[in-house]
Amino acid sequence: MNRIYYILYLLILSLLPYPTRAQLAQSLRVEIPSDPDESESFGVTPLGDKGLLMTIQKGTFYDRTPNQFNFQKYDVNFKLLWRKEFKQDIKFKPVLTYDTDQYVYHLFREYDTGRFQFLRLHLDDGAIETFEGDLLDQFDVKLFKVMGSQAYVGGYHHTRPVVMAFSFFDNSTKVLPGLYVNRMEISSLELDEARQEVNVLVHSLRRHCKFSIRTYNYDSKLLRTLDFDGAKNSLISGKLLPINEHESLLVGNYSTDCTPYSQGIYVTRIRQGESAEEAVNTIQYIEFSQLQNFFNYLKPHRQQKLLARAQKKKEEGKDYKFHYRLLVHDLQPTTDGLTLVAEVYYPQYRGAMTAYGGYLRGADRYDGFRYTHAFICGFDKQGKLLWDNCFPIKELLSSDLTEMVQVSHQGNRTVLAYPNDGEITTEVIQGSKVLKETEKFKLKTNSENEKVTFSAQDNLMAWYGQHFLACGFQKIAPSKSYASPREVFYLNKLTFSDDLSSSKSTGATTRKNDEPAR
């Protein structure tokens, strides 16, 4: 009888989900000493399996010292391939950067004038070229991209949107027509390399909640305008992805009441030559409550309460108002169609007591952007939702609104990861299934006799294959002495092990985060 029980026990064990052993491992680490008394900044640009570019900038415009740039290219094993230096004229200050497969571009502007300079760094050998020209005075630059031999610079002039095309061939400048409108904002600037077109997506959340796509050719001529004024809901943002020679998918988030708070996501197919009315009629709206896993960052009872309230509103013929703010990533093409990734956040304020004329009054101090979770959706090439999943984000506060979650597609699985305070949090999914729950990996030094006492400006990038790049600043001190800590800029190569391919794990798991819905 005992033998029968033992056989049954083994059979039950074989049917249980196989425990996954995949984990993040630190492959390589480089440390560059950082002087806290010197004005310097470090930047890292991943170049896939071609390596990476590190940019070290010293000096600032504000203390009247010229900017000195040290460009260093490394291979995937952190071997130095070349180093180039560039000393910038003191009258120029850095604004934005942009990278392509061949070049890294830096945009500079002369203080209090409309004079701009473009630096082009060739990634093969480090050759540097500069181009100067006039854009606009009092131009608040927000966007910078390059296609071919033209740079596109977007921003605001006297609060009105402007996009300008600058030619590296003859240093000439053109203004893209039809954008200089009151109460209008640039949602995104999308470059279509195959069609040699520029798409400017603009919107307004005031009054009529307008959203439109203005498409220009390489010569900056307006080709067509698609206005979504007749849409059922207010489109907040949009990202375009061409799926064939004549069609693109437009994906973004929407609201129901002309506010920046999202009610869900939308998707529609844009066909060349079709009218705006046809594009509006094909919009599919997907409310957050329709997504299978969107609320999995909450505890089960919180999920049930929220969804019950939303269902009750629907039964009453009303919409439940969600108050989510989304940071939508660029769309990622897949063999099936595309992947959408968006991070949910809210501005966080801290109450404080201040004295005015002898009285104490409440005051709010801005802390930064608090992230609650990210969600990821898969669509086919017709715009049909295939699956969705959720990645809880705990205790992550950032002074800048930037993309924190990195996505690495590895075969039939997807690794999600974000950095925070010297640690990397990961989750492994396969469509709507969670193969491995959130797990933390602590970044280590090269010596067991040292410990990290402080970590700041942590950054993470999906690199190539199963590898990630992590970088930032750390204070490192000996473990068994009271010597002063040293400050370094660290660069870590992280590798995610590949034994998930044989995993039998299926089905999503219960979340334990309990952040409030915003």
Side-chain angles (χ1 to χ4, degrees):
M1 184 65 69
N2 289 338
R3 180 177 177 83
I4 294 176
Y5 284 141
Y6 180 70
I7 293 173
L8 288 174
Y9 174 73
L10 292 178
L11 179 63
I12 292 172
L13 284 180
S14 69
L15 296 175
L16 291 175
Y18 183 78
T20 59
R21 298 184 301 274
Q23 61 180 354
L24 206 60
Q26 187 165 303
S27 306
L28 294 170
R29 178 179 171 95
V30 170
E31 295 178 358
I32 300 176
S34 175
D35 186 351
D37 298 324
E38 187 173 0
S39 297
E40 60 182 0
S41 64
F42 294 78
V44 175
T45 304
L47 306 175
D49 57 8
K50 295 180 181 178
L52 66 96
L53 177 73
M54 180 179 292
T55 303
I56 305 174
Q57 177 187 340
K58 296 186 178 182
T60 66
F61 175 84
Y62 300 102
D63 59 13
R64 306 305 296 171
T65 58
N67 283 291
Q68 297 184 22
F69 292 84
N70 188 326
F71 301 107
Q72 302 175 15
K73 184 179 177 181
Y74 295 84
D75 67 10
V76 294
N77 296 314
F78 292 168
K79 177 185 177 183
L80 182 65
L81 299 178
W82 52 255
R83 178 187 285 113
K84 298 289 182 179
E85 293 188 355
F86 174 77
K87 187 174 182 179
Q88 178 59 279
D89 192 303
I90 195 171
K91 66 182 180 181
F92 286 108
K93 63 177 181 179
V95 182
L96 290 172
T97 63
Y98 182 74
D99 59 274
T100 66
D101 291 338
Q102 288 183 298
Y103 304 99
V104 167
Y105 296 87
H106 286 253
L107 174 62
F108 303 90
R109 76 176 303 167
E110 188 175 347
Y111 180 73
D112 210 22
T113 76
R115 193 73 177 169
F116 285 76
Q117 184 188 77
F118 300 84
L119 180 149
R120 181 164 69 187
L121 173 72
H122 202 295
L123 290 170
D124 284 343
D125 54 10
I128 294 175
E129 301 171 272
T130 58
F131 311 86
E132 291 188 23
D134 293 308
L135 297 183
L136 278 176
D137 194 10
Q138 299 181 27
F139 186 25
D140 184 14
V141 176
K142 298 295 184 182
L143 299 164
F144 171 48
K145 292 188 175 182
V146 177
M147 182 170 65
S149 61
Q150 288 198 143
Y152 296 91
V153 184
Y156 298 89
H157 182 254
H158 300 308
T159 71
R160 294 181 179 182
V162 176
V163 176
M164 309 191 75
F166 177 85
S167 170
F168 297 136
F169 178 71
D170 59 7
N171 293 351
S172 63
T173 303
K174 293 180 181 178
V175 178
L176 272 57
L179 294 172
Y180 198 63
V181 180
N182 283 325
R183 296 184 295 276
M184 192 69 72
E185 297 179 12
I186 301 175
S187 173
S188 64
L189 178 65
E190 310 275 326
L191 303 181
D192 189 334
E193 298 273 358
R195 300 171 187 159
Q196 289 290 284
E197 292 179 349
V198 180
N199 295 286
V200 184
L201 284 66
V202 295
H203 75 284
S204 172
L205 293 177
R206 305 176 186 177
R207 295 186 180 179
H208 305 296
C209 301
K210 293 184 177 181
F211 185 91
S212 64
I213 303 175
R214 318 285 171 90
T215 303
Y216 303 83
N217 64 12
Y218 194 73
D219 294 326
S220 304
K221 178 183 177 181
L222 180 62
L223 298 178
R224 55 189 176 273
T225 300
L226 279 180
D227 290 314
F228 290 82
D229 296 347
K232 174 185 174 182
N233 295 301
S234 306
L235 309 188
I236 299 175
S237 74
K239 298 287 185 178
L240 277 170
L241 182 71
I243 54 176
N244 58 45
E245 187 179 350
H246 305 290
E247 290 181 293
S248 298
L249 282 177
L250 173 67
V251 186
N253 54 319
Y254 72 92
S255 72
T256 57
D257 51 5
C258 257
T259 69
Y261 299 113
S262 301
Q263 191 74 9
I265 57 176
Y266 72 90
V267 58
T268 186
R269 295 171 73 180
I270 305 294
R271 299 173 178 85
Q272 282 190 333
E274 76 174 355
S275 66
E277 184 179 359
E278 290 174 309
V280 167
N281 291 336
T282 59
I283 296 179
Q284 304 172 53
Y285 297 101
I286 305 169
E287 191 179 273
F288 291 133
S289 59
Q290 294 176 277
L291 295 175
Q292 181 182 353
N293 298 296
F294 180 86
F295 300 100
N296 281 358
Y297 73 102
L298 296 169
K299 288 183 178 179
H301 75 278
R302 294 288 305 278
Q303 289 186 52
Q304 294 169 6
K305 279 187 175 182
L306 190 151
L307 291 173
R309 288 197 299 266
Q311 182 61 32
K312 184 178 180 181
K313 284 286 186 181
K314 282 188 177 182
E315 292 171 355
E316 296 172 353
K318 302 176 183 178
D319 289 326
Y320 182 82
K321 301 295 184 183
F322 296 105
H323 286 79
Y324 291 104
R325 294 176 184 263
L326 300 188
L327 176 61
V328 182
H329 296 207
D330 288 337
L331 303 177
Q332 300 180 4
T334 63
T335 53
D336 297 327
L338 66 89
T339 298
L340 166 71
V341 180
E343 297 172 64
V344 183
Y345 70 93
Y346 62 91
Q348 178 169 300
Y349 297 86
R350 181 179 299 179
M353 301 303 292
T354 359
Y356 291 94
Y359 296 95
L360 288 176
R361 296 181 181 178
D364 287 332
R365 188 183 73 188
Y366 174 69
D367 270 357
F369 297 99
R370 174 73 65 179
Y371 296 74
T372 61
H373 64 295
F375 68 97
I376 178 170
C377 301
F379 294 89
D380 66 14
K381 293 182 179 180
Q382 284 68 49
K384 179 184 176 182
L385 177 66
L386 301 175
W387 54 267
D388 71 88
N389 219 315
C390 171
F391 184 27
I393 301 176
K394 295 184 179 181
E395 301 175 355
L396 179 56
L397 183 69
S398 174
S399 57
D400 300 315
L401 184 59
T402 58
E403 296 178 4
M404 303 299 293
V405 173
Q406 292 293 296
V407 180
S408 175
H409 298 286
Q410 301 178 11
N412 60 356
R413 72 180 184 187
T414 300
V415 181
L416 309 172
Y418 69 87
N420 187 28
D421 196 23
E423 291 183 330
I424 308 297
T425 301
T426 63
E427 178 179 276
V428 187
I429 66 172
Q430 185 181 66
S432 59
K433 302 173 184 177
V434 176
L435 298 182
K436 190 172 182 63
E437 283 191 81
T438 53
E439 185 176 65
K440 289 188 176 182
F441 173 83
K442 192 169 186 64
L443 298 175
K444 304 172 184 177
T445 67
N446 285 328
S447 172
E448 295 181 356
N449 299 321
E450 294 181 323
K451 62 180 179 180
V452 177
T453 61
F454 177 76
S455 188
Q457 298 183 36
D458 298 311
N459 198 0
L460 182 72
M461 292 153 277
W463 195 3
Y464 71 99
Q466 299 167 243
H467 307 287
F468 289 85
L469 271 175
C471 61
F473 291 91
Q474 288 179 339
K475 286 185 179 180
I476 300 173
S479 300
K480 299 180 181 179
S481 74
Y482 295 98
S484 299
R486 55 190 176 89
E487 297 189 18
V488 301
F489 178 81
Y490 70 88
L491 185 65
N492 283 29
K493 179 180 181 179
L494 308 174
T495 303
F496 210 90
S497 61
D498 199 26
D499 57 358
L500 263 175
S501 58
S502 60
S503 171
K504 300 178 183 177
S505 177
T506 60
T509 52
T510 301
R511 312 289 183 172
K512 298 180 180 179
N513 197 7
D514 193 18
E515 293 289 346
R518 294 280 170 173

